[in-house]
């Protein structure tokens, strides 16, 4: 695990998870007051990293201008990455129904 500037991370294009502005603000406040409790999960993507879990934490870190802790899952296929994203999303947040349908029908 190591820290990176959040703008160096690329979001994945299939994440169906959405957080409303009020909860995003709460996440920013929590990150500012309590610090980061969980690393952002990423996979190798060319010369950089793609977010598997933690897009909203990354956005909060961008808003606060702070670095974020990441955990590199290494090389993953798109199918493995999509599955990991869905598993992570099941813990919190809400899936956008249309984005979830698109993701599940893409295989």
């Amino acid at each position: 695990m190591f820290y990176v500037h959040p703008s160096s991370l690329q979001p994945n294009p299939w994440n169906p998870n959405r957080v409303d502005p009020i909860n995003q603000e709460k996440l920013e406040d929590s990150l500012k007051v309590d610090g980061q409790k969980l690393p952002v999960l990423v996979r190798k993507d060319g010369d950089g990293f793609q977010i598997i879990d933690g897009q909203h934490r990354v956005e909060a870190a961008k808003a606060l201008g702070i670095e974020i802790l990441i955990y590199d899952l290494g090389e993953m296929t798109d199918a493995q990455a999509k599955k990991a994203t869905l598993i992570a999303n099941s813990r919190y947040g809400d899936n956008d129904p249309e984005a979830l349908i698109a993701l599940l029908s893409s295989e």
Side-chain angles (χ1 to χ4, degrees):
M1 288 191 286
F2 52 96
Y3 285 89
V4 299
H5 193 276
S7 65
S8 69
L9 303 174
Q10 299 302 313
N12 72 58
W14 58 77
N15 188 358
N17 188 266
R18 304 293 183 260
V19 172
D20 64 61
I22 292 170
N23 284 320
Q24 184 66 32
E25 187 176 325
K26 288 178 183 178
L27 179 58
E28 289 174 22
D29 290 343
S30 174
L31 192 58
K32 183 172 32 176
V33 173
D34 300 319
Q36 185 179 353
K37 302 298 182 208
L38 298 171
V40 172
L41 302 180
V42 299
R43 72 170 176 163
K44 297 264 189 246
D45 184 33
D47 292 333
F49 296 102
Q50 182 181 63
I51 301 165
I52 300 300
D53 175 46
Q55 177 63 39
H56 305 296
R57 281 173 274 155
V58 169
E59 293 303 320
K62 283 181 185 177
L64 296 171
I66 60 173
E67 289 192 332
I68 192 131
L69 183 65
I70 65 169
Y71 181 82
D72 179 11
L73 297 172
E75 300 289 333
M76 301 176 82
T77 66
D78 283 352
Q80 290 169 321
K82 289 174 182 179
K83 182 178 178 180
T85 296
L86 286 175
I87 290 169
N89 284 352
S90 69
R91 294 186 304 240
Y92 41 75
D94 294 313
N95 287 326
D96 175 272
E98 291 178 12
L100 182 58
I101 290 168
L103 171 60
L104 294 175
S105 61
S106 68
E107 295 300 315

